[in-house]
Amino acid sequence: MPVSGVPGADEVPAPHEPARAEGDTATAPSPGGSAAEGTGEAPRARRWCRGTRLLVGATAVWTLLLGLHVLLAGNWWLWLLVEAVPPLTLVAVPLLLLAVTPLARPVRRWLAPVLVLLLLAGAHLSGFGPGWSGGGGTGTTAGGTEVKVFAWSTDYWQMDDDKQDFYAFLRGQDADVYLLQEYLYWEGDDPVRIDDTARLREEFPGYHVSVEGELLTLSRLPVVAEHHRRVPDTGTAWYHEGSKAQRTDIQVGDRTVSFYNVHMPVPFQVGDNPLSGRFYRFLRDQYAWRDRELDALRSDLAENPHPALLTGDFNSPWTGSLLDPAPGTRVHSPGSGVLPARSWPVSDYPLPKLWRLDWLFTTEDLAVPGYRFGGGGDFSDHAAQEIRLVVPDPTASGHPKETR
């Protein structure tokens, strides 16, 4: 209690408070303030937990991989191993990372938009969204001629199939044009050329039969021209040096349309040891082979005055997005189902059907009002392509009437 009437008695320090030195301006910590604030020290930054660090690291790695995939797919032989990954992986990974993002509170506000962008990019490359025509494509169907096309990778010609059932399946398609791949046998690592022409003429009377290497085209429409590559008549040159994009010019109404029957080389052989030198030599050689064949296809298309349809087994799930077989063509996709179209494997392999290896492209004003993957699983590891093509009449399309 202060003593009344004594000058300065109110200013005597309490016994429990130390006297302040003159000029000392330190203040007591504010209520609720930290010890660091009270002592004038800078607060320490909170460290991310291990889960947050892992999530940020995984997002960075995935961003790098996606960027490399866009740059290297189709441009580096070793990247063929990455090209074998199912395209839906580009959707599944960012979705998984997005699912756990809410748990990473320090970074979720900026990490979530990044993952959404990665998801949208991956979805487009995988076959979702705009840019993929669903079951139709562009062009008009008015005043045109309709052509039924059946394209199929036959999994080697009847090596393990019942011949009667095999031909019955083909006849049942009742197509105007058949574009069939793998018209050959195999003995070990060696392709064996076959000649089933007599049976084909018996089964398909009135059809024109055209064979180039392992590619077979049947047409009941008039064939205007066949464009076969000249190869040595020795050994397996018919297979290894022959064209992998057989072109047949066919008269449709008053116009000539080029039908390209495509089978690009496989990137690698399932079952080969990836630790062996043979595996990587094969990978490099197959990449170079595919590159040559794609260049030849692009060159032929650039000089072709006719509208064209390209279809077959391109042996890459990225053909419609990252691997452009021919600039200026339109890619078509079946429009049924929630997921993007898939055509392989439908048999023979203990794998889910996650890849699309079979593709369809058109040029100019050709329309595709009907397109789906049909049967074929009883005979091949590939689903068959059932295509309804409409070729507009010259007067409707603005093209002059062709003479022959």
mmCIF file of all heavy atoms in Angstrom, residues 10-53:
data_model
loop_
_atom_site.group_PDB
_atom_site.id
_atom_site.type_symbol
_atom_site.label_atom_id
_atom_site.label_comp_id
_atom_site.label_asym_id
_atom_site.label_seq_id
_atom_site.Cartn_x
_atom_site.Cartn_y
_atom_site.Cartn_z
ATOM 1 N N ASP A 10 4.583 6.275 -5.204
ATOM 2 C CA ASP A 10 3.841 5.394 -6.148
ATOM 3 C C ASP A 10 4.767 4.765 -7.182
ATOM 4 O O ASP A 10 4.397 3.822 -7.850
ATOM 5 C CB ASP A 10 2.765 6.192 -6.876
ATOM 6 C CG ASP A 10 1.658 6.610 -5.905
ATOM 7 O OD1 ASP A 10 1.596 6.046 -4.798
ATOM 8 O OD2 ASP A 10 0.876 7.490 -6.291
ATOM 9 N N GLU A 11 5.984 5.298 -7.355
ATOM 10 C CA GLU A 11 6.865 4.803 -8.408
ATOM 11 C C GLU A 11 7.866 3.775 -7.917
ATOM 12 O O GLU A 11 8.705 3.329 -8.660
ATOM 13 C CB GLU A 11 7.640 5.979 -9.024
ATOM 14 C CG GLU A 11 6.729 7.023 -9.650
ATOM 15 C CD GLU A 11 7.495 8.223 -10.137
ATOM 16 O OE1 GLU A 11 8.747 8.188 -10.081
ATOM 17 O OE2 GLU A 11 6.858 9.171 -10.585
ATOM 18 N N VAL A 12 7.788 3.412 -6.637
ATOM 19 C CA VAL A 12 8.720 2.422 -6.115
ATOM 20 C C VAL A 12 8.390 1.075 -6.721
ATOM 21 O O VAL A 12 7.245 0.632 -6.683
ATOM 22 C CB VAL A 12 8.626 2.354 -4.570
ATOM 23 C CG1 VAL A 12 9.523 1.252 -4.040
ATOM 24 C CG2 VAL A 12 8.990 3.693 -3.978
ATOM 25 N N PRO A 13 9.394 0.366 -7.332
ATOM 26 C CA PRO A 13 9.104 -0.925 -7.967
ATOM 27 C C PRO A 13 8.594 -1.919 -6.953
ATOM 28 O O PRO A 13 9.032 -1.933 -5.817
ATOM 29 C CB PRO A 13 10.457 -1.358 -8.551
ATOM 30 C CG PRO A 13 11.269 -0.110 -8.607
ATOM 31 C CD PRO A 13 10.803 0.750 -7.487
ATOM 32 N N ALA A 14 7.674 -2.727 -7.431
ATOM 33 C CA ALA A 14 7.187 -3.802 -6.563
ATOM 34 C C ALA A 14 8.313 -4.768 -6.313
ATOM 35 O O ALA A 14 9.198 -4.961 -7.151
ATOM 36 C CB ALA A 14 6.017 -4.507 -7.235
ATOM 37 N N PRO A 15 8.276 -5.430 -5.187
ATOM 38 C CA PRO A 15 9.378 -6.330 -4.845
ATOM 39 C C PRO A 15 9.569 -7.451 -5.852
ATOM 40 O O PRO A 15 10.658 -7.944 -6.057
ATOM 41 C CB PRO A 15 8.965 -6.868 -3.472
ATOM 42 C CG PRO A 15 8.011 -5.877 -2.944
ATOM 43 C CD PRO A 15 7.315 -5.268 -4.089
ATOM 44 N N HIS A 16 8.474 -7.902 -6.507
ATOM 45 C CA HIS A 16 8.601 -9.046 -7.414
ATOM 46 C C HIS A 16 8.961 -8.644 -8.838
ATOM 47 O O HIS A 16 9.111 -9.483 -9.691
ATOM 48 C CB HIS A 16 7.286 -9.841 -7.451
ATOM 49 C CG HIS A 16 6.118 -9.028 -7.960
ATOM 50 N ND1 HIS A 16 5.427 -8.138 -7.148
ATOM 51 C CD2 HIS A 16 5.552 -8.948 -9.192
ATOM 52 C CE1 HIS A 16 4.456 -7.562 -7.849
ATOM 53 N NE2 HIS A 16 4.516 -8.044 -9.101
ATOM 54 N N GLU A 17 9.072 -7.340 -9.153
ATOM 55 C CA GLU A 17 9.449 -6.881 -10.482
ATOM 56 C C GLU A 17 10.855 -6.317 -10.471
ATOM 57 O O GLU A 17 11.173 -5.464 -9.640
ATOM 58 C CB GLU A 17 8.511 -5.764 -10.980
ATOM 59 C CG GLU A 17 7.099 -6.241 -11.261
ATOM 60 C CD GLU A 17 6.236 -5.109 -11.789
ATOM 61 O OE1 GLU A 17 6.791 -4.030 -12.088
ATOM 62 O OE2 GLU A 17 5.045 -5.310 -11.912
ATOM 63 N N PRO A 18 11.703 -6.760 -11.355
ATOM 64 C CA PRO A 18 13.037 -6.188 -11.386
ATOM 65 C C PRO A 18 12.999 -4.765 -11.924
ATOM 66 O O PRO A 18 12.214 -4.435 -12.796
ATOM 67 C CB PRO A 18 13.791 -7.113 -12.361
ATOM 68 C CG PRO A 18 12.730 -7.682 -13.229
ATOM 69 C CD PRO A 18 11.511 -7.807 -12.362
ATOM 70 N N ALA A 19 13.826 -3.927 -11.364
ATOM 71 C CA ALA A 19 13.877 -2.534 -11.819
ATOM 72 C C ALA A 19 14.421 -2.482 -13.231
ATOM 73 O O ALA A 19 15.354 -3.208 -13.584
ATOM 74 C CB ALA A 19 14.773 -1.721 -10.888
ATOM 75 N N ARG A 20 13.811 -1.642 -14.081
ATOM 76 C CA ARG A 20 14.252 -1.506 -15.459
ATOM 77 C C ARG A 20 15.394 -0.540 -15.555
ATOM 78 O O ARG A 20 15.402 0.500 -14.915
ATOM 79 C CB ARG A 20 13.111 -0.999 -16.344
ATOM 80 C CG ARG A 20 11.965 -1.999 -16.474
ATOM 81 C CD ARG A 20 10.860 -1.399 -17.308
ATOM 82 N NE ARG A 20 9.704 -2.265 -17.313
ATOM 83 C CZ ARG A 20 8.502 -1.882 -17.716
ATOM 84 N NH1 ARG A 20 8.309 -0.659 -18.133
ATOM 85 N NH2 ARG A 20 7.497 -2.744 -17.709
ATOM 86 N N ALA A 21 16.320 -0.920 -16.378
ATOM 87 C CA ALA A 21 17.416 0.021 -16.625
ATOM 88 C C ALA A 21 16.904 1.158 -17.465
ATOM 89 O O ALA A 21 15.992 1.005 -18.277
ATOM 90 C CB ALA A 21 18.569 -0.681 -17.324
ATOM 91 N N GLU A 22 17.542 2.320 -17.288
ATOM 92 C CA GLU A 22 17.117 3.497 -18.031
ATOM 93 C C GLU A 22 17.326 3.271 -19.532
ATOM 94 O O GLU A 22 18.381 2.794 -19.949
ATOM 95 C CB GLU A 22 17.946 4.699 -17.571
ATOM 96 C CG GLU A 22 17.460 6.016 -18.214
ATOM 97 C CD GLU A 22 18.238 7.214 -17.684
ATOM 98 O OE1 GLU A 22 19.021 7.046 -16.733
ATOM 99 O OE2 GLU A 22 18.058 8.299 -18.238
ATOM 100 N N GLY A 23 16.283 3.571 -20.274
ATOM 101 C CA GLY A 23 16.368 3.390 -21.739
ATOM 102 C C GLY A 23 15.912 2.019 -22.195
ATOM 103 O O GLY A 23 15.916 1.745 -23.369
ATOM 104 N N ASP A 24 15.556 1.133 -21.269
ATOM 105 C CA ASP A 24 15.096 -0.207 -21.650
ATOM 106 C C ASP A 24 13.681 -0.113 -22.182
ATOM 107 O O ASP A 24 12.775 0.301 -21.446
ATOM 108 C CB ASP A 24 15.160 -1.138 -20.452
ATOM 109 C CG ASP A 24 14.892 -2.582 -20.810
ATOM 110 O OD1 ASP A 24 14.610 -2.874 -22.001
ATOM 111 O OD2 ASP A 24 14.965 -3.404 -19.903
ATOM 112 N N THR A 25 13.448 -0.454 -23.441
ATOM 113 C CA THR A 25 12.129 -0.304 -24.066
ATOM 114 C C THR A 25 11.432 -1.626 -24.265
ATOM 115 O O THR A 25 10.434 -1.725 -24.949
ATOM 116 C CB THR A 25 12.270 0.385 -25.435
ATOM 117 O OG1 THR A 25 13.115 -0.399 -26.256
ATOM 118 C CG2 THR A 25 12.843 1.788 -25.285
ATOM 119 N N ALA A 26 11.991 -2.734 -23.760
ATOM 120 C CA ALA A 26 11.377 -4.050 -23.963
ATOM 121 C C ALA A 26 9.997 -4.066 -23.349
ATOM 122 O O ALA A 26 9.761 -3.474 -22.307
ATOM 123 C CB ALA A 26 12.246 -5.135 -23.339
ATOM 124 N N THR A 27 9.085 -4.710 -24.011
ATOM 125 C CA THR A 27 7.716 -4.824 -23.523
ATOM 126 C C THR A 27 7.410 -6.265 -23.226
ATOM 127 O O THR A 27 8.011 -7.184 -23.791
ATOM 128 C CB THR A 27 6.722 -4.307 -24.567
ATOM 129 O OG1 THR A 27 6.894 -5.049 -25.764
ATOM 130 C CG2 THR A 27 6.970 -2.820 -24.851
ATOM 131 N N ALA A 28 6.442 -6.460 -22.416
ATOM 132 C CA ALA A 28 6.029 -7.824 -22.066
ATOM 133 C C ALA A 28 5.293 -8.446 -23.226
ATOM 134 O O ALA A 28 4.703 -7.749 -24.053
ATOM 135 C CB ALA A 28 5.129 -7.776 -20.816
ATOM 136 N N PRO A 29 5.334 -9.749 -23.308
ATOM 137 C CA PRO A 29 4.601 -10.430 -24.378
ATOM 138 C C PRO A 29 3.126 -10.093 -24.322
ATOM 139 O O PRO A 29 2.553 -9.988 -23.241
ATOM 140 C CB PRO A 29 4.853 -11.921 -24.111
ATOM 141 C CG PRO A 29 6.064 -11.959 -23.240
ATOM 142 C CD PRO A 29 6.031 -10.713 -22.429
ATOM 143 N N SER A 30 2.521 -9.929 -25.509
ATOM 144 C CA SER A 30 1.087 -9.677 -25.556
ATOM 145 C C SER A 30 0.350 -10.940 -25.192
ATOM 146 O O SER A 30 0.870 -12.037 -25.355
ATOM 147 C CB SER A 30 0.698 -9.217 -26.972
ATOM 148 O OG SER A 30 1.022 -10.222 -27.901
ATOM 149 N N PRO A 31 -0.858 -10.796 -24.702
ATOM 150 C CA PRO A 31 -1.633 -11.983 -24.342
ATOM 151 C C PRO A 31 -1.794 -12.894 -25.544
ATOM 152 O O PRO A 31 -2.168 -12.463 -26.627
ATOM 153 C CB PRO A 31 -2.977 -11.398 -23.892
ATOM 154 C CG PRO A 31 -2.670 -9.995 -23.498
ATOM 155 C CD PRO A 31 -1.572 -9.552 -24.357
ATOM 156 N N GLY A 32 -1.552 -14.169 -25.350
ATOM 157 C CA GLY A 32 -1.666 -15.146 -26.433
ATOM 158 C C GLY A 32 -0.478 -15.163 -27.345
ATOM 159 O O GLY A 32 -0.408 -15.968 -28.259
ATOM 160 N N GLY A 33 0.526 -14.283 -27.190
ATOM 161 C CA GLY A 33 1.702 -14.264 -28.046
ATOM 162 C C GLY A 33 2.631 -15.388 -27.708
ATOM 163 O O GLY A 33 2.609 -15.954 -26.625
ATOM 164 N N SER A 34 3.480 -15.764 -28.684
ATOM 165 C CA SER A 34 4.406 -16.858 -28.479
ATOM 166 C C SER A 34 5.627 -16.369 -27.735
ATOM 167 O O SER A 34 5.897 -15.169 -27.655
ATOM 168 C CB SER A 34 4.821 -17.438 -29.836
ATOM 169 O OG SER A 34 5.562 -16.488 -30.557
ATOM 170 N N ALA A 35 6.369 -17.332 -27.231
ATOM 171 C CA ALA A 35 7.596 -16.985 -26.527
ATOM 172 C C ALA A 35 8.579 -16.325 -27.459
ATOM 173 O O ALA A 35 9.312 -15.414 -27.102
ATOM 174 C CB ALA A 35 8.208 -18.234 -25.901
ATOM 175 N N ALA A 36 8.587 -16.763 -28.725
ATOM 176 C CA ALA A 36 9.499 -16.172 -29.697
ATOM 177 C C ALA A 36 9.158 -14.718 -29.950
ATOM 178 O O ALA A 36 10.031 -13.875 -30.088
ATOM 179 C CB ALA A 36 9.455 -16.945 -31.007
ATOM 180 N N GLU A 37 7.823 -14.399 -29.946
ATOM 181 C CA GLU A 37 7.419 -13.021 -30.161
ATOM 182 C C GLU A 37 7.818 -12.160 -28.974
ATOM 183 O O GLU A 37 8.223 -11.020 -29.105
ATOM 184 C CB GLU A 37 5.906 -12.947 -30.375
ATOM 185 C CG GLU A 37 5.451 -13.567 -31.689
ATOM 186 C CD GLU A 37 3.951 -13.661 -31.771
ATOM 187 O OE1 GLU A 37 3.285 -13.532 -30.715
ATOM 188 O OE2 GLU A 37 3.447 -13.867 -32.879
ATOM 189 N N GLY A 38 7.723 -12.746 -27.778
ATOM 190 C CA GLY A 38 8.055 -11.985 -26.580
ATOM 191 C C GLY A 38 9.533 -11.673 -26.490
ATOM 192 O O GLY A 38 9.931 -10.667 -25.908
ATOM 193 N N THR A 39 10.370 -12.524 -27.022
ATOM 194 C CA THR A 39 11.814 -12.320 -26.945
ATOM 195 C C THR A 39 12.368 -11.614 -28.157
ATOM 196 O O THR A 39 13.560 -11.388 -28.271
ATOM 197 C CB THR A 39 12.532 -13.670 -26.794
ATOM 198 O OG1 THR A 39 12.203 -14.473 -27.920
ATOM 199 C CG2 THR A 39 12.100 -14.357 -25.512
ATOM 200 N N GLY A 40 11.468 -11.327 -29.154
ATOM 201 C CA GLY A 40 11.928 -10.649 -30.364
ATOM 202 C C GLY A 40 12.495 -11.585 -31.403
ATOM 203 O O GLY A 40 12.994 -11.149 -32.417
ATOM 204 N N GLU A 41 12.449 -12.959 -31.224
ATOM 205 C CA GLU A 41 12.973 -13.915 -32.195
ATOM 206 C C GLU A 41 11.946 -14.167 -33.284
ATOM 207 O O GLU A 41 10.735 -14.162 -33.038
ATOM 208 C CB GLU A 41 13.311 -15.231 -31.494
ATOM 209 C CG GLU A 41 14.410 -15.097 -30.452
ATOM 210 C CD GLU A 41 14.659 -16.419 -29.760
ATOM 211 O OE1 GLU A 41 13.991 -17.404 -30.154
ATOM 212 O OE2 GLU A 41 15.504 -16.469 -28.862
ATOM 213 N N ALA A 42 12.424 -14.433 -34.533
ATOM 214 C CA ALA A 42 11.526 -14.743 -35.649
ATOM 215 C C ALA A 42 10.891 -16.105 -35.436
ATOM 216 O O ALA A 42 11.569 -17.044 -35.023
ATOM 217 C CB ALA A 42 12.308 -14.732 -36.969
ATOM 218 N N PRO A 43 9.573 -16.257 -35.736
ATOM 219 C CA PRO A 43 8.920 -17.562 -35.561
ATOM 220 C C PRO A 43 9.462 -18.565 -36.561
ATOM 221 O O PRO A 43 9.782 -18.235 -37.696
ATOM 222 C CB PRO A 43 7.441 -17.253 -35.823
ATOM 223 C CG PRO A 43 7.449 -16.020 -36.677
ATOM 224 C CD PRO A 43 8.642 -15.233 -36.233
ATOM 225 N N ARG A 44 9.551 -19.794 -36.171
ATOM 226 C CA ARG A 44 10.017 -20.865 -37.055
ATOM 227 C C ARG A 44 8.894 -21.294 -38.002
ATOM 228 O O ARG A 44 7.747 -21.411 -37.598
ATOM 229 C CB ARG A 44 10.469 -22.074 -36.236
ATOM 230 C CG ARG A 44 11.724 -21.824 -35.419
ATOM 231 C CD ARG A 44 12.134 -23.106 -34.731
ATOM 232 N NE ARG A 44 13.350 -22.933 -33.963
ATOM 233 C CZ ARG A 44 13.933 -23.917 -33.268
ATOM 234 N NH1 ARG A 44 13.371 -25.113 -33.246
ATOM 235 N NH2 ARG A 44 15.037 -23.676 -32.605
ATOM 236 N N ALA A 45 9.244 -21.552 -39.305
ATOM 237 C CA ALA A 45 8.267 -22.036 -40.283
ATOM 238 C C ALA A 45 7.898 -23.480 -39.961
ATOM 239 O O ALA A 45 8.754 -24.289 -39.601
ATOM 240 C CB ALA A 45 8.848 -21.944 -41.692
ATOM 241 N N ARG A 46 6.605 -23.761 -40.130
ATOM 242 C CA ARG A 46 6.151 -25.130 -39.870
ATOM 243 C C ARG A 46 6.639 -26.042 -40.993
ATOM 244 O O ARG A 46 6.496 -25.737 -42.169
ATOM 245 C CB ARG A 46 4.634 -25.176 -39.787
ATOM 246 C CG ARG A 46 4.061 -24.461 -38.570
ATOM 247 C CD ARG A 46 2.552 -24.637 -38.517
ATOM 248 N NE ARG A 46 2.213 -26.052 -38.448
ATOM 249 C CZ ARG A 46 0.951 -26.517 -38.532
ATOM 250 N NH1 ARG A 46 -0.038 -25.664 -38.700
ATOM 251 N NH2 ARG A 46 0.710 -27.806 -38.450
ATOM 252 N N ARG A 47 7.160 -27.185 -40.668
ATOM 253 C CA ARG A 47 7.641 -28.148 -41.662
ATOM 254 C C ARG A 47 6.477 -28.995 -42.149
ATOM 255 O O ARG A 47 5.580 -29.339 -41.387
ATOM 256 C CB ARG A 47 8.709 -29.044 -41.052
ATOM 257 C CG ARG A 47 9.974 -28.312 -40.660
ATOM 258 C CD ARG A 47 11.025 -29.305 -40.194
ATOM 259 N NE ARG A 47 11.391 -30.221 -41.267
ATOM 260 C CZ ARG A 47 12.162 -31.293 -41.089
ATOM 261 N NH1 ARG A 47 12.629 -31.577 -39.886
ATOM 262 N NH2 ARG A 47 12.459 -32.071 -42.103
ATOM 263 N N TRP A 48 6.510 -29.302 -43.476
ATOM 264 C CA TRP A 48 5.491 -30.202 -44.028
ATOM 265 C C TRP A 48 5.679 -31.597 -43.454
ATOM 266 O O TRP A 48 6.813 -32.067 -43.273
ATOM 267 C CB TRP A 48 5.616 -30.279 -45.546
ATOM 268 C CG TRP A 48 5.228 -29.017 -46.254
ATOM 269 C CD1 TRP A 48 4.580 -27.939 -45.725
ATOM 270 C CD2 TRP A 48 5.466 -28.710 -47.635
ATOM 271 N NE1 TRP A 48 4.394 -26.975 -46.673
ATOM 272 C CE2 TRP A 48 4.928 -27.422 -47.867
ATOM 273 C CE3 TRP A 48 6.076 -29.385 -48.681
ATOM 274 C CZ2 TRP A 48 4.989 -26.810 -49.105
ATOM 275 C CZ3 TRP A 48 6.126 -28.789 -49.911
ATOM 276 C CH2 TRP A 48 5.599 -27.507 -50.124
ATOM 277 N N CYS A 49 4.583 -32.269 -43.256
ATOM 278 C CA CYS A 49 4.673 -33.656 -42.799
ATOM 279 C C CYS A 49 5.143 -34.529 -43.966
ATOM 280 O O CYS A 49 5.164 -34.099 -45.128
ATOM 281 C CB CYS A 49 3.328 -34.133 -42.274
ATOM 282 S SG CYS A 49 2.063 -34.309 -43.550
ATOM 283 N N ARG A 50 5.513 -35.758 -43.662
ATOM 284 C CA ARG A 50 6.053 -36.651 -44.692
ATOM 285 C C ARG A 50 5.041 -36.897 -45.808
ATOM 286 O O ARG A 50 5.389 -36.936 -46.988
ATOM 287 C CB ARG A 50 6.451 -37.975 -44.056
ATOM 288 C CG ARG A 50 7.028 -38.973 -45.064
ATOM 289 C CD ARG A 50 7.454 -40.250 -44.391
ATOM 290 N NE ARG A 50 8.517 -40.002 -43.426
ATOM 291 C CZ ARG A 50 9.055 -40.961 -42.654
ATOM 292 N NH1 ARG A 50 8.591 -42.198 -42.727
ATOM 293 N NH2 ARG A 50 10.011 -40.652 -41.813
ATOM 294 N N GLY A 51 3.760 -37.055 -45.457
ATOM 295 C CA GLY A 51 2.748 -37.305 -46.478
ATOM 296 C C GLY A 51 2.617 -36.156 -47.459
ATOM 297 O O GLY A 51 2.475 -36.360 -48.665
ATOM 298 N N THR A 52 2.665 -34.912 -46.943
ATOM 299 C CA THR A 52 2.583 -33.744 -47.817
ATOM 300 C C THR A 52 3.781 -33.681 -48.757
ATOM 301 O O THR A 52 3.644 -33.395 -49.954
ATOM 302 C CB THR A 52 2.495 -32.458 -46.981
ATOM 303 O OG1 THR A 52 1.304 -32.502 -46.180
ATOM 304 C CG2 THR A 52 2.451 -31.225 -47.865
ATOM 305 N N ARG A 53 4.962 -33.945 -48.214
ATOM 306 C CA ARG A 53 6.165 -33.929 -49.059
ATOM 307 C C ARG A 53 6.075 -34.993 -50.150
ATOM 308 O O ARG A 53 6.467 -34.761 -51.304
ATOM 309 C CB ARG A 53 7.411 -34.143 -48.202
ATOM 310 C CG ARG A 53 7.697 -33.003 -47.228
ATOM 311 C CD ARG A 53 9.132 -33.020 -46.726
ATOM 312 N NE ARG A 53 9.483 -34.276 -46.059
ATOM 313 C CZ ARG A 53 9.313 -34.519 -44.770
ATOM 314 N NH1 ARG A 53 8.759 -33.590 -43.991
ATOM 315 N NH2 ARG A 53 9.683 -35.669 -44.243
#
